[in-house]
Amino acid sequence: MADITRRLGWRHLRGAPTAHIRHHRGGKLLHDGPGLSFWFRALTAALSEVPVDDRELAMTFHARTSDFQDVAVQATVTYRISDPAVAASRLDFSIDPDTGAWRGTPLEQLGTLLTETAQQHALDVLSRTPLSAALVDGVTAVRERIAAGLAGEPRLPSTGIEVVAVRVMALRPEPEVERALRTPAREQIQQEADRATYERRAVAVERERAIAENELASQIELARREEQLVDQRGTNARREAEEHAAADAVRAEAEAARTVRLADAEAARSVRLARAEAEGAREVGEARAQAQAAWLRVHGEVDVATLHALTGTRLAENLPRIDSVTVSPDVLTGLLARLGTQEQS
């Protein structure tokens, strides 16, 4: 849109480099070109602004294939106005001298023209193509056909329109048909995934089996070595027991010999001690017998009074020491009675 400012009944227009400005006054062309800047009067000026830059026109339309399946076509047409004078004479690109806005909708008219022309050629090629072929090679075929059709359309050059490029982004069937078409591919992909999973599991199981076999072989080898170690320990224990038994036997024999020697010595000492004790007892007995005999001989030659005196002496020697004697009246009476009886007798 052109930039228009007001100054005391005059208007100043400043256009963009991508906009072609045409200024008429009284049926005469005063200014014609892109990026112009000039003063004008609003009451006598006729202005038009034609864009000369490349523009993108996105379009989406439905078509039907030869097997009666609906498809949606998404395409983009790039175009530009190559002849602004022709375009301004065929379409209404006039602008308001006060605001700079278009009075009509020229770009919408161009969009309708291009969309209908492209749709006509796309429908023509898709109506003779089955759905499967359209989904595989339809994008290229539709793009080439639209480009050729727009290039051969006589109305576009007569309107000053030049098609720069045509792009077809997608040909999509209806959602139900698309899901049905995706199912075999999904099943195949799932089968491949399952096969890969099974192969991976098989490889994992094989590796686990190999690891288990290695562990089992290691355990068997370890058990065999432990058995050898146990046998060797048993052999060493038997050898050590035999050596200990031999040493114990030697010690026992030595202890028995020593015990025998000690017993013999003790027996000999006991015999000698018994003999000495017997000899001493015999000598003591003989001495006692001799003393007894002598004592008897001595006592046999002594009279009875002497014997009584000796007996009293011996008795007095053997009596315990008496510090004091208490004589009760009864005892004293008895003693006196006995003394009196003895004197009478």
Side-chain angles (χ1 to χ4, degrees):
M1 185 175 65
D3 183 13
I4 297 177
T5 57
R6 300 179 181 183
R7 291 292 186 275
L8 300 175
W10 288 84
R11 305 289 189 271
H12 183 270
L13 183 146
R14 183 175 58 190
T18 57
H20 189 96
I21 304 298
R22 291 174 63 84
H23 176 209
H24 291 81
R25 187 178 63 187
K28 294 182 179 180
L29 182 62
L30 298 181
H31 299 91
D32 185 17
L36 296 180
S37 178
F38 54 89
W39 291 91
F40 66 94
R41 287 186 177 275
L43 296 177
T44 60
L47 302 173
S48 63
E49 182 183 13
V50 181
V52 293
D53 57 338
D54 291 350
R55 292 183 173 265
E56 302 284 342
L57 177 62
M59 59 186 69
T60 300
F61 53 88
H62 291 271
R64 179 168 293 182
T65 61
S66 61
D67 49 0
F68 305 101
Q69 297 296 325
D70 291 336
V71 293
V73 181
Q74 296 178 358
T76 301
V77 176
T78 303
Y79 70 96
R80 65 170 172 262
I81 300 175
S82 60
D83 193 344
V86 174
S89 63
R90 298 294 300 273
L91 298 173
D92 184 11
F93 283 98
S94 62
I95 61 175
D96 188 298
D98 292 328
T99 62
W102 279 316
R103 296 178 183 273
T105 56
L107 295 182
E108 294 182 3
Q109 295 176 3
L110 284 178
T112 302
L113 174 61
L114 292 172
T115 300
E116 291 179 352
T117 304
Q119 182 176 359
Q120 179 182 357
H121 294 288
L123 294 175
D124 185 45
V125 68
L126 288 174
S127 63
R128 297 191 299 270
T129 305
L131 178 62
S132 58
L135 294 178
V136 175
D137 300 324
V139 172
T140 303
V142 171
R143 183 182 67 248
E144 293 176 352
R145 183 60 180 273
I146 292 177
L150 292 177
E153 179 65 30
R155 188 179 176 183
L156 296 180
S158 64
T159 314
I161 306 301
E162 178 184 357
V163 177
V164 178
V166 176
R167 297 189 303 276
V168 177
M169 278 71 73
L171 288 175
R172 301 180 67 92
E174 293 182 346
E176 296 79 4
V177 177
E178 188 174 5
R179 285 194 296 269
L181 293 175
R182 287 178 179 178
T183 301
R186 287 185 176 179
E187 292 295 333
Q188 185 176 0
I189 293 173
Q190 186 64 38
Q191 290 177 3
E192 294 295 332
D194 294 340
R195 185 179 299 107
T197 302
Y198 296 150
E199 291 178 355
R200 184 171 63 252
R201 290 179 179 176
V203 172
V205 170
E206 182 65 22
R207 290 179 179 176
E208 290 179 358
R209 185 185 62 79
I211 293 173
E213 289 181 354
N214 293 333
E215 292 179 352
L216 183 59
S218 300
Q219 292 178 0
I220 293 174
E221 180 64 22
L222 181 61
R224 186 180 63 81
R225 293 185 179 182
E226 288 181 353
E227 183 180 1
Q228 294 178 355
L229 179 61
V230 170
D231 294 340
Q232 185 64 36
R233 286 179 177 175
T235 302
N236 295 338
R238 287 193 298 272
R239 185 179 302 169
E240 185 177 359
E242 291 175 356
E243 292 177 356
H244 285 310
D248 292 339
V250 172
R251 285 196 298 270
E253 291 178 358
E255 186 67 22
R258 188 174 66 83
T259 302
V260 170
R261 288 195 300 272
L262 291 176
D264 293 342
E266 185 67 22
R269 188 174 64 82
S270 298
V271 170
R272 289 194 299 273
L273 182 59
R275 289 179 180 176
E277 289 178 355
E279 184 66 24
R282 185 180 59 78
E283 292 177 355
V284 170
E286 290 179 354
R288 288 180 178 178
Q290 292 177 0
Q292 186 70 22
W295 187 78
L296 291 176
R297 283 195 304 271
V298 170
H299 286 75
E301 295 175 357
V302 179
D303 55 1
V304 176
T306 302
L307 290 174
H308 287 173
L310 290 174
T311 301
T313 302
R314 293 292 302 273
L315 180 62
E317 291 176 357
N318 293 324
L319 287 175
R321 181 179 177 180
I322 299 173
D323 293 332
S324 62
V325 177
T326 300
V327 180
S328 63
D330 296 335
V331 174
L332 182 59
T333 303
L335 290 176
L336 293 176
R338 291 180 65 184
L339 291 175
T341 303
Q342 288 179 359
E343 289 178 357
Q344 292 177 3
S345 59

